[in-house]
Amino acid sequence: MKDRIALRMVWQTLMHMAISIALGCISIIFLVAGSEILTRGSGLRSLILRVANILGIQETMYVAGIILILAFFCFFQWRSYRNLERIGQSVRYISEGNFDDVIRVAPRSTFSNLAKDMNVLVERLKNSLDDERRAEQTKNELITNVSHDLRTPLTSVLGYLGLVEQDRYRDEVELRHYVQIAYEKSQRLHVLINDLFEYTRMRHDAIPLQQVTMSLKEMLGQLLVQFLPELQQAEMEGKLYGDDKEILISGDPGKLVRVFENLLSNAIAYGKEGKRLEIRLRKEARWAFVEVTNYGETISAADLPYLFDRFYRVDKSRTEKSGGSGLGLAIAKGIVEKHGGEISVTSDSAVTTFRVRLPALD
């Protein structure tokens, strides 16, 4: 609904004028009726009589009435003028960067809605500036983390290739060792750059999805077979539990495979002590739920809220050999959300469970 301030001001002015005229007339009547008593034997009576003799009695009453009407009118209008002055002072104060200030006027004032709208505007401006500062801080942290993560393997690649280029090796065996290390470091660089590129595209919603109808149980079963060598190496047992009926979803197979590959890799890396990995699949209403559970290392409550942030690692001591890019879970979250789902994690009593919820087809 529109707030017609101009119309309300005109109506208020006319109402104040009418009330002022009425009060002025009433005041003149009381003054005339009581002037004999109120001014008897005083200098005020002599002054009134002298003015009346100069202007005339009728003219004197007109002048007195006009003065009273103006006095009443200014009295009634002063509140509106005062509210305007408060709004102007608050706007000047806020324009100096004091966004915590609130414009206060009388609740039933003509300008109360204007003050509320301006307070909402200031609050939104404050939130926008806060978001901009956080975005700038995030960008700076991203650049810092990228620079750090890329510099370490790049330094190793340059160092070992420099030794090869300068013939600073004893024999062919040492040469092949240097080349192998440089190759492994370059592979890590490749993974980091690809993850960073995909994360950036995910943040800017630039990754198209190839929507395909697929069986979630079949995809998870194939992934479990694919990870069999890693499970055997970690001396772990992997099992898939699910309903006998097919659970179909619509999504991009390549992107969703990456999500569950990341969850399985983390479960193997951190769940070796528990000796088993479990994948549970079920359907409730219009949703498909996948739970990836390991029984090894517990994630602390302090780390859980930040687990899906980019470049966040639970184990701060992880080296480039044992740690990934720090973008895997952030990318996984972005992929799941692009499919209209959610991803979460719980960890307590040596049980860590990642839960993925995706829209299911009927």
Side-chain angles (χ1 to χ4, degrees), residues 147-324:
S147 301
H148 177 269
D149 280 11
L150 294 180
R151 181 178 59 186
T152 303
L154 182 59
T155 301
S156 297
V157 170
L158 294 176
Y160 283 106
L161 290 181
L163 293 176
V164 173
E165 195 273 336
Q166 298 170 15
D167 295 329
R168 295 173 60 184
Y169 53 89
R170 292 189 297 270
D171 49 33
E172 185 177 349
V173 175
E174 191 171 47
L175 170 63
R176 292 182 62 84
H177 177 64
Y178 289 167
V179 172
Q180 181 182 3
I181 294 177
Y183 177 71
E184 291 176 354
K185 303 295 182 180
S186 63
Q187 282 186 315
R188 174 169 171 76
L189 275 175
H190 181 69
V191 171
L192 286 170
I193 292 172
N194 283 343
D195 284 353
L196 178 62
F197 180 67
E198 186 165 358
Y199 174 76
T200 304
R201 293 178 64 197
M202 190 73 64
R203 287 290 300 272
H204 292 85
D205 200 22
I207 295 182
L209 295 180
Q210 305 294 329
Q211 296 288 348
V212 176
T213 299
M214 70 187 83
S215 169
L216 196 55
K217 186 175 183 179
E218 182 179 347
M219 182 184 69
L220 293 172
Q222 292 176 356
L223 275 176
L224 201 56
V225 173
Q226 176 184 327
F227 273 84
L228 188 58
E230 286 86 347
L231 288 168
Q232 292 176 345
Q233 184 177 0
E235 298 181 352
M236 296 178 66
E237 180 183 6
K239 288 188 177 182
L240 173 62
Y241 301 93
D243 299 334
D244 294 334
K245 60 183 180 180
E246 287 290 342
I247 299 179
L248 300 179
I249 63 172
S250 177
D252 190 317
K255 301 293 187 299
L256 290 175
V257 163
R258 171 151 193 179
V259 171
F260 294 110
E261 281 181 345
N262 186 279
L263 298 183
L264 292 176
S265 297
N266 285 341
I268 294 173
Y270 290 101
K272 295 180 180 180
E273 297 177 2
K275 300 300 181 182
R276 70 183 193 272
L277 182 154
E278 297 175 351
I279 304 175
R280 300 185 183 276
L281 175 63
R282 71 182 191 277
K283 181 181 179 182
E284 294 181 6
R286 298 182 299 105
W287 296 99
F289 293 87
V290 180
E291 296 181 352
V292 179
T293 303
N294 68 76
Y295 297 86
E297 183 177 345
T298 303
I299 302 174
S300 69
D303 289 319
L304 285 176
Y306 310 101
L307 204 60
F308 295 99
D309 291 354
R310 80 283 176 280
F311 292 111
Y312 190 83
R313 294 191 177 100
V314 174
D315 187 354
K316 308 302 185 297
S317 64
R318 289 175 73 187
T319 64
E320 61 182 81
K321 291 183 179 180
S322 61

Side-chain angles (χ1 to χ4, degrees), residues 18-254:
I19 295 174
S20 299
I21 292 173
L23 291 176
C25 293
I26 294 173
S27 299
I28 288 296
I29 293 173
F30 277 102
L31 286 174
V32 171
S35 60
E36 184 70 23
I37 298 174
L38 294 174
T39 62
R40 182 179 298 171
S42 66
L44 179 60
R45 175 180 173 83
S46 300
L47 178 61
I48 294 175
L49 291 175
R50 188 178 303 173
V51 172
N53 290 331
I54 297 174
L55 299 178
I57 296 177
Q58 189 174 3
E59 287 77 5
T60 302
M61 292 178 60
Y62 287 154
V63 171
I66 291 172
I67 293 174
L68 288 172
I69 290 171
L70 290 175
F72 283 123
F73 183 73
C74 291
F75 173 77
F76 289 126
Q77 288 292 98
W78 173 253
R79 186 177 181 181
S80 297
Y81 300 151
R82 179 59 179 165
N83 285 329
L84 275 177
E85 182 182 10
R86 288 176 179 174
I87 292 175
Q89 291 174 347
S90 296
V91 169
R92 285 192 295 272
Y93 185 68
I94 292 171
S95 67
E96 296 173 355
N98 304 293
F99 297 107
D100 293 327
D101 189 58
V102 177
I103 300 175
R104 294 181 175 85
V105 296
R108 301 183 63 182
S109 167
T110 305
F111 305 101
S112 59
N113 290 336
L114 176 62
K116 291 179 182 178
D117 292 340
M118 294 184 70
N119 286 332
V120 171
L121 176 64
V122 172
E123 182 67 22
R124 290 180 178 176
L125 178 60
K126 178 184 175 182
N127 293 336
S128 177
L129 291 175
D130 291 341
D131 291 341
E132 185 177 348
R133 293 191 189 99
R134 283 194 293 269
E136 184 68 21
Q137 182 180 0
T138 300
K139 184 182 70 174
N140 293 335
E141 291 176 355
L142 179 63
I143 294 173
T144 301
N145 289 326
V146 169
S147 301
H148 177 269
D149 280 11
L150 294 180
R151 181 178 59 186
T152 303
L154 182 59
T155 301
S156 297
V157 170
L158 294 176
Y160 283 106
L161 290 181
L163 293 176
V164 173
E165 195 273 336
Q166 298 170 15
D167 295 329
R168 295 173 60 184
Y169 53 89
R170 292 189 297 270
D171 49 33
E172 185 177 349
V173 175
E174 191 171 47
L175 170 63
R176 292 182 62 84
H177 177 64
Y178 289 167
V179 172
Q180 181 182 3
I181 294 177
Y183 177 71
E184 291 176 354
K185 303 295 182 180
S186 63
Q187 282 186 315
R188 174 169 171 76
L189 275 175
H190 181 69
V191 171
L192 286 170
I193 292 172
N194 283 343
D195 284 353
L196 178 62
F197 180 67
E198 186 165 358
Y199 174 76
T200 304
R201 293 178 64 197
M202 190 73 64
R203 287 290 300 272
H204 292 85
D205 200 22
I207 295 182
L209 295 180
Q210 305 294 329
Q211 296 288 348
V212 176
T213 299
M214 70 187 83
S215 169
L216 196 55
K217 186 175 183 179
E218 182 179 347
M219 182 184 69
L220 293 172
Q222 292 176 356
L223 275 176
L224 201 56
V225 173
Q226 176 184 327
F227 273 84
L228 188 58
E230 286 86 347
L231 288 168
Q232 292 176 345
Q233 184 177 0
E235 298 181 352
M236 296 178 66
E237 180 183 6
K239 288 188 177 182
L240 173 62
Y241 301 93
D243 299 334
D244 294 334
K245 60 183 180 180
E246 287 290 342
I247 299 179
L248 300 179
I249 63 172
S250 177
D252 190 317

